Each structure stands twice: as structure tokens, then as C-alpha cells.
């Protein structure tokens, strides 16, 4: 698996860090992106594989930053094979009290950041006539959730974006799929009250919360040769919660 270069956004912790460690173990060269440079460096130091890696601090909601990151990856590592759009945020609140800022921030990072990175790698993937794009959405993008209208809208839009990109780039052997995690134990879910956690656990047939590694396995599959004929799909990784 030489010269397989993958960009992972939101790689400084949580699911993104687990994806980076899994892809490193699978032999990929990695470009790790998030805003916190120190946290990214910590993840880079923990990578188990012998592949090359770059730590590239940047904000996915800035197209200028995204172009700079992708330019450096191509210059210092080579043409991009895979992109994992994982960076994401929540700004929860009931609709009547949701501020314009809370709406926009979530859409800017979760949806526009996914658009920016996908756009920035597309020309190179088209020239290579191969590519894998994996977008991390959420089961909330399928079901909706009270208090998360902004987040649910952003994640549902990522699924529609994924299907459109799959149709547009399929002719160049570029696949584009989404992974929809359920409840995964990370900083994003750490603040939930115990009663809410207990209620959610009761709804999970596999009777445990997910770990970053559970999502990383699905991402690794969609990046692999085994998934060469799969595109436009959303793979739900939720212990059976929403099925
Ligand atoms: P997390 O622990 O909060 O990590 C979020 C990651 O995104 C961090 O690396 C963060 O790094 C990065 N990030 C946030 N804003 C960014 C920006 N503007 N530019 C660049 N990087 C940014 O969350 P997580 O649980 O691992 O979630 C990862 C993805 O899975 C998200 O898309 C999330 O919506 C999705 N998801 C999570 C769950 C769950 O239960 N945890 C369920 C379904 C879907 P910096 O702060 O350093 O920038």
C-alpha cells in the first residue's frame, strides 16, 4: 500500500484520531487536519504505522485554509488518494432560541467544510482516475433530533452532497460514501446527562456505546479496494439504534 495518501479532517481527537490511527496501521500516508496544532502533534506521535504523515493545522470552514492544506499535501506527500471529511461541531439549542451564529457555525463547519475539502481534492483525483471520499455524517441526519435542528440539517445535507458527488465523479473511478455514527464516546457526547445516556443505551440493541474504532473500521473499509464498487451509500454504525 505505497503512495496511498489520505487527508483526515478533525484528526486532533475523538473519531478523527481513531480513524488516523487505524489508517496508519493499514499503511496509508496521512495528512492530519484540525485547528489545535498541539493536539494534532500528539495524535501524530501516537500513530502506529511506518507511513509518512503531515500535521496541518487549519480551519475547514475557510476555503483559503483548505486550499493551503491541500496544496501542501500534494507538494510534500503527493497526489491525494483519500479524503475523510470528519471535522464537525454541535451548537445545540431549541429552535425558538437558536441564534443565527449557532446555525451558521454548524453549517459552515459540518457542511461547507465538507464541500471545500471535496472541491479542493477533486481535480487531482480526476487526473489520477482514482479516489475515495468518505464523509462523516450522523444518524441525526437521518432521524432529526429535538434541540439539534442545525446539526441535523447539516448532516442530512452531507448525505445529499455525498450522493451528488458520487454521481458526478463515478466516471473517474472516484467513490464518495458517508458513514453515519450513532452514539460514540468522545468529547462531543461527554457532556450529556447520565439520564439521557441511560435512555440512549436502552435503545441500542448491541447494548454498548460506540467507540471511535468502530467508526474507523467502516471508514477503512470504504477506503479499501474491497469497496471499489460501492458509492453514494450511507453506512450506519450505531449498534442498531435507528434501524
Ligand atoms: P470531537 O471529539 O468534538 O472532535 C471534533 C473534531 O473536529 C476535532 O478534531 C476538532 O478539532 C475538529 N474540528 C472542529 N471544528 C473544526 C474546524 N472548524 N476546522 C477543523 N477542524 C475542526 O467530535 P467527534 O465525536 O470525534 O466527531 C467527529 C465527527 O463525527 C463529527 O463530524 C461528528 O458530527 C460526527 N459524529 C459524532 C458522533 C458521536 O456520537 N460522537 C455521532 C455521529 C456523528 P479542533 O477543535 O482542534 O479544531
Amino acid at each position: 500500500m505505497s503512495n496511498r495518501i489520505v487527508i483526515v479532517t478533525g484528526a486532533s481527537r475523538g473519531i478523527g484520531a481513531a480513524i488516523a490511527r487505524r489508517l496508519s496501521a493499514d499503511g496509508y500516508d496521512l495528512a492530519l487536519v484540525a485547528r489545535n496544532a498541539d493536539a494534532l502533534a500528539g495524535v501524530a506521535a501516537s500513530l502506529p504505522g511506518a507511513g509518512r504523515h503531515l500535521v496541518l493545522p487549519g480551519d475547514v470552514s475557510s476555503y483559503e485554509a483548505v486550499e493551503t492544506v491541500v496544496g501542501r499535501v500534494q507538494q510534500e506527500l503527493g497526489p491525494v488518494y483519500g479524503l475523510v471529511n470528519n471535522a464537525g461541531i454541535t451548537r445545540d439549542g431549541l429552535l425558538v432560541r437558536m441564534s443565527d451564529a449557532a446555525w451558521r457555525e454548524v453549517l459552515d463547519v459540518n457542511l461547507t467544510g465538507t464541500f471545500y475539502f471535496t472541491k479542493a481534492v477533486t481535480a487531482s483525483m480526476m487526473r489520477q482516475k482514482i479516489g475515495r471520499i468518505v464523509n462523516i455524517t450522523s444518524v441525526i441526519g437521518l432521524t432529526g433530533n429535538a434541540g439539534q435542528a442545525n446539526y441535523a440539517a447539516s448532516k442530512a445535507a452531507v448525505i445529499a452532497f455525498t450522493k451528488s458527488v458520487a454521481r458526478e465523479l463515478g466516471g473517474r473511478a472516484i467513490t464518495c460514501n458517508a458513514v453515519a455514527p450513532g452514539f460514540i464516546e468522545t468529547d462531543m457526547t461527554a457532556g450529556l446527562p447520565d439520564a439521557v445516556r441511560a435512555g440512549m443505551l436502552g435503545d441500542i440493541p448491541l447494548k454498548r456505546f460506540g467507540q471511535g474504532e468502530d467508526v474507523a473500521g467502516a471508514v477503512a473499509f470504504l477506503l479499501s479496494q474491497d469497496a471499489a464498487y460501492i458509492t453514494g451509500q450511507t453506512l450506519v454504525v450505531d449498534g442498531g439504534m435507528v434501524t
Side-chain angles (χ1 to χ4, degrees):
M1 177 79 70
S2 63
N3 289 327
R4 287 278 154 113
I5 295 150
V6 180
I7 299 173
V8 182
T9 73
S12 60
R13 55 195 151 89
I15 293 171
I19 292 169
R21 284 191 287 269
R22 169 62 191 263
L23 298 184
S24 170
D26 285 358
Y28 292 96
D29 293 335
L30 295 175
L32 309 180
V33 183
R35 290 164 305 175
N36 186 328
D38 290 342
L40 275 181
V43 172
S46 77
L47 293 177
R52 299 172 298 162
H53 64 261
L54 275 182
V55 165
L56 297 167
D59 184 337
V60 300
S61 66
S62 154
Y63 191 64
E64 208 183 352
V66 171
E67 269 194 316
T68 303
V69 163
V70 172
R72 280 195 59 193
V73 175
Q74 288 169 338
Q75 215 167 25
E76 296 177 40
L77 293 178
V80 177
Y81 164 77
L83 167 66
V84 184
N85 283 308
N86 165 78
I89 59 168
T90 52
R91 296 283 182 270
D92 296 351
L94 293 176
L95 187 59
V96 285
R97 286 199 287 271
M98 188 172 286
S99 67
D100 193 51
W103 174 265
R104 281 181 196 279
E105 274 178 51
V106 169
L107 270 289
D108 284 353
V109 175
N110 299 5
L111 178 60
T112 307
T114 297
F115 160 62
Y116 283 166
F117 257 102
T118 306
K119 180 177 153 105
V121 301
T122 295
S124 166
M125 283 185 180
M126 285 172 79
R127 278 194 297 276
Q128 299 299 310
K129 294 193 178 63
I130 188 160
R132 296 272 192 277
I133 300 162
V134 180
N135 299 322
I136 307 301
T137 176
S138 167
V139 291
I140 301 302
L142 299 169
T143 62
N145 196 23
Q148 290 196 303
N150 49 358
Y151 184 76
S154 74
K155 293 300 189 179
V158 164
I159 293 171
F161 176 77
T162 300
K163 291 179 182 176
S164 303
V165 172
R167 288 183 183 276
E168 204 167 307
L169 302 183
R172 304 292 182 110
I174 299 165
T175 67
C176 184
N177 291 289
V179 172
F183 187 108
I184 310 297
E185 288 191 300
T186 68
D187 290 353
M188 190 176 270
T189 48
L192 288 175
D194 286 347
V196 175
R197 292 170 68 92
M200 292 182 99
L201 191 56
D203 289 337
I204 299 174
L206 287 178
K207 297 296 169 214
R208 67 173 176 88
F209 294 127
Q211 301 300 312
E213 290 72 20
D214 294 310
V215 180
V219 172
F221 167 66
L222 290 170
L223 286 170
S224 75
Q225 192 52 33
D226 287 338
Y229 201 56
I230 299 173
T231 195
Q233 301 304 304
T234 299
L235 181 50
V236 177
V237 181
D238 70 344
M241 190 165 68
V242 302
T243 50

